[in-house]
Amino acid sequence: MLQASKLRCFVVVAIFCFFAAFAHAQDKSRDAAFQQTPPPAPPATAPANPPPSAQQPNQTPNPPLPDAPAPQKESPKRILGFIPNFQTSNDQSLVPKPLTNKQKFNIAWHNMFDVSAHIGNALQSGIQQASDGQPHYGEGWGAYGERFAAAEGDQITSSIFIIGVFPSLLHDDPRYFRRGPGFSVRSRLWYSVTRTVVTRKDDQTPTFNAPQVFGQLVQAGISNAYYPAQDRNIEGTFKGWGINLGYNCGYNLLKEFYPDFLGLFHRHHRDPDVHPPAPEAHP
C-alpha cells in the first residue's frame, strides 16, 4: 500500500513537471516572437504652439465609467489564516496584465504546497472523520490518515489541472476577480456563484469556465485511484464532481466577501464607540 502511494505521488509530480516545462517552452517561444516583431513607429509630435482654433480651453478629463469599481486593497493571500487565496485579484477598471503560463503554474504550485493548504486539509479531514463522511474509511487514526492523504491528493490534482494545465492550454485566466463593495450585495452574490461556470480569457473577454468544470471532473476521476474501493464507481465520480463544484461556489463567496468582514472587524477595533462627556450642570 505504501509503495503504491509513493508511486502515485511520483506520477503526480512528474505530470506537474511535464506541463510546467511545456508552459515554460510556450512562454519562451512567445517572447521570441514578440522580440522579432518590429516596434511600432512613434506618433508624430504635435507642434509646440498649436493655433488658437486647435486649442480647447477648459478641457476636462474624461469622467470614469459609471460601472467602474473603486480602487480596492489587495485581497489577503490566506482566508482565516489557513485557506489558500492565491488566485484572487481585485477587479479594477483597467484591463489587468495577462498571466504567462509560467505564472499560472506558479500559482498552482503555491496552491499545492503552501503550509496553509495542509492545515486546511487536516481540518477538513477531522471534520469528515467526526461527521462520518465517506464511512468506508472507517474510524481511528489510520482512517484519519487515509482521509488526510486523499485530501492532499485532491488538492494536488485539482491545482494542477484547474489552475495550471487547462488555463495554459485554453488561454484562460485562472484568477478570481473580486468585484468589491462598489457593487450591490445581490450582484456580488450572483457574480460569485456564476464564476464557477464563467471565467475570462487571457484578453479578459468572458468565456465558459472549462478549466473549473472539466478540471473538477478530471480530479474526481483520478481520485478513484485512492478512494475506498466501495466508492470507485461512476456514481461516486459524478457525485464528487457535483460536490466539488458546489464547494467552489461557496469558496468564491468567501473570496468575495471575506475582505469586507475584515474591514468591519478592523474598523470596530480601530474606532471604538466613544461617548461624549455629559454637559456640566450649572448652578
Side-chain angles (χ1 to χ4, degrees), residues 12-211:
V12 168
V13 173
I15 291 174
F16 181 87
C17 293
F18 170 77
F19 281 106
F22 171 77
H24 182 63
Q26 273 197 333
D27 288 337
K28 288 184 66 176
S29 62
R30 185 174 62 181
D31 293 341
F34 178 78
Q35 292 175 359
Q36 292 175 1
T37 304
T45 57
N49 296 317
S53 59
Q55 296 179 359
Q56 297 180 359
N58 301 326
Q59 185 177 8
T60 58
N62 294 330
L65 298 176
D67 59 346
Q72 310 167 41
K73 293 182 179 180
E74 281 298 322
S75 298
K77 298 304 179 185
R78 295 174 181 84
I79 297 175
L80 300 177
F82 63 89
I83 302 178
N85 193 33
F86 304 110
Q87 295 168 255
T88 303
S89 179
N90 291 327
D91 190 5
Q92 304 293 346
S93 57
L94 298 178
V95 177
K97 184 179 179 181
L99 297 176
T100 64
N101 292 337
K102 181 179 180 180
Q103 290 173 322
K104 295 173 184 177
F105 276 94
N106 189 43
I107 296 176
W109 179 267
H110 281 84
N111 218 55
M112 289 162 54
F113 296 113
D114 186 80
V115 64
S116 59
H118 306 308
I119 296 174
N121 290 334
L123 292 176
Q124 174 187 341
S125 302
I127 295 172
Q128 190 183 59
Q129 180 93 351
S131 62
D132 201 22
Q134 288 187 304
H136 297 126
Y137 277 115
E139 299 293 338
W141 285 108
Y144 174 80
E146 292 181 355
R147 295 177 193 274
F148 177 72
E152 291 280 293
D154 292 348
Q155 180 87 18
I156 291 173
T157 53
S158 61
S159 298
I160 289 175
F161 289 100
I162 297 174
I163 305 175
V165 175
F166 284 131
S168 297
L169 295 177
L170 301 175
H171 305 288
D172 290 344
D173 196 320
R175 291 174 290 185
Y176 174 85
F177 291 94
R178 178 175 174 265
R179 277 196 161 182
F183 297 83
S184 67
V185 174
R186 178 182 298 180
S187 68
R188 293 173 68 190
L189 286 170
W190 175 253
Y191 173 84
S192 302
V193 173
T194 55
R195 293 314 94 181
T196 297
V197 293
V198 180
T199 189
R200 301 181 184 184
K201 304 292 289 183
D202 285 336
D203 61 3
Q204 299 304 301
T205 56
T207 186
F208 174 66
N209 197 347

Side-chain angles (χ1 to χ4, degrees), residues 134 216 236-249:
Q134 288 187 304
Q216 292 286 8
T237 298
F238 280 92
K239 182 180 179 181
W241 178 49
I243 291 174
N244 288 337
L245 290 178
Y247 167 78
N248 189 73
C249 292

